[in-house]
Amino acid sequence: MSTATYTPPQTTAPRTRVAVPVVTATKGIPSQTGVWVAVSAIAMSFAALTSALIVREGSGTDWHRFVLPRILYLDTIILIASSFTLEVSRKRFAAAVSSSVAPSGSSASIAAAQRSDGLYWLNMTLTLGLLFVVGQVLAWRSLVFQGLLLATGPSTSFFYVLTAMHGLHLLGGVLGLIYVGYRLRRNARNAQTSLGTAAVYWHFVDLLWFYLLMVIVIRM
């Protein structure tokens, strides 16, 4: 006589849900949009000043050319160097981020060293920016010694206005880099994005100087 055996119904193993990373909004996006809006506004203001310069030059006979201070060309080299040092700083911080996520015991020390290098090159950029401003002041003093003041003529007036406005915008970039450096030292959230945003503004101010120098050399 055979006995029936009871076979319990087979149960399927519970499915394991794959964890989906939570995507959070990046705070750096509004700042990136803001810097592009600021860059556009600054570019339009300088374009308007250039147009006014050309119109004023051709509307009278009191437009006189003058010898430009040679330190303006040294300032140009300083700005080129500042863009280079800023990009070196960005690469150091990017390498520090990559090293910090590497599965290595010495990755923390490597990342710290790369962050230190990044701060060094960032400070170099700040120093070069301040040197540029000092060079602008020396250029103004050189013109004053020649008797060329703001009210001497329309050409000197435009020179002082254009270079002063550019210097103020560059000082704004210096303050921005100081703030970014503070965030990077504290390892604040999105500090890397802030550095990229500040770099966009800094490189724009550098290119703006090349444009202004070309206008000054041709028209003054």
Side-chain angles (χ1 to χ4, degrees), residues 16-109:
T16 58
R17 298 182 61 183
V18 179
V20 178
V22 179
V23 180
T24 57
T26 304
K27 294 183 179 179
I29 294 177
S31 65
Q32 291 175 346
T33 304
V35 77
W36 283 111
V37 172
V39 162
S40 301
I42 295 170
M44 288 188 291
S45 65
F46 276 93
L49 281 173
T50 304
S51 300
L53 182 152
I54 296 174
V55 172
R56 181 63 182 84
E57 180 187 7
S59 63
T61 58
D62 56 347
W63 188 276
H64 301 291
R65 295 180 178 270
F66 55 91
V67 179
L68 297 176
R70 293 183 178 180
I71 197 171
L72 295 179
Y73 304 105
L74 177 60
D75 272 354
T76 304
I77 297 174
I78 290 175
L79 276 189
I80 294 174
S82 71
S83 286
F84 172 76
T85 55
L86 182 55
E87 285 305 305
V88 173
S89 176
R90 290 184 62 192
K91 290 181 180 179
R92 293 292 188 274
F93 280 109
V97 172
S98 301
S99 298
S100 61
V101 298
S104 174
S106 60
S107 60
S109 59

Side-chain angles (χ1 to χ4, degrees), residues 123-204:
N123 290 333
M124 285 292 297
T125 305
L126 291 171
T127 302
L128 291 171
L130 293 176
L131 284 177
F132 175 86
V133 176
V134 172
Q136 291 291 80
V137 174
L138 293 177
W140 297 333
R141 288 189 60 185
S142 176
L143 292 183
V144 171
F145 289 152
Q146 298 177 43
L148 301 175
L149 305 176
L150 179 65
T152 299
S155 57
T156 55
S157 297
F158 272 102
F159 176 84
Y160 281 108
V161 170
L162 289 173
T163 54
M165 284 187 61
H166 179 268
L168 288 175
H169 285 97
L170 188 131
L171 281 176
V174 168
L175 294 177
L177 287 180
I178 291 175
Y179 172 70
V180 170
Y182 170 76
R183 287 175 54 84
L184 289 168
R185 287 184 180 89
R186 293 175 58 89
N187 199 19
R189 184 184 180 187
N190 294 327
Q192 190 78 16
T193 302
S194 300
L195 179 59
T197 302
V200 170
Y201 179 84
W202 191 267
H203 295 321
F204 165 75

Side-chain angles (χ1 to χ4, degrees), residues 88-89 92-93 111-123:
V88 173
S89 176
R92 293 292 188 274
F93 280 109
Q114 290 169 335
R115 287 176 58 83
S116 178
D117 288 344
L119 288 172
Y120 169 80
W121 288 105
L122 183 62
N123 290 333

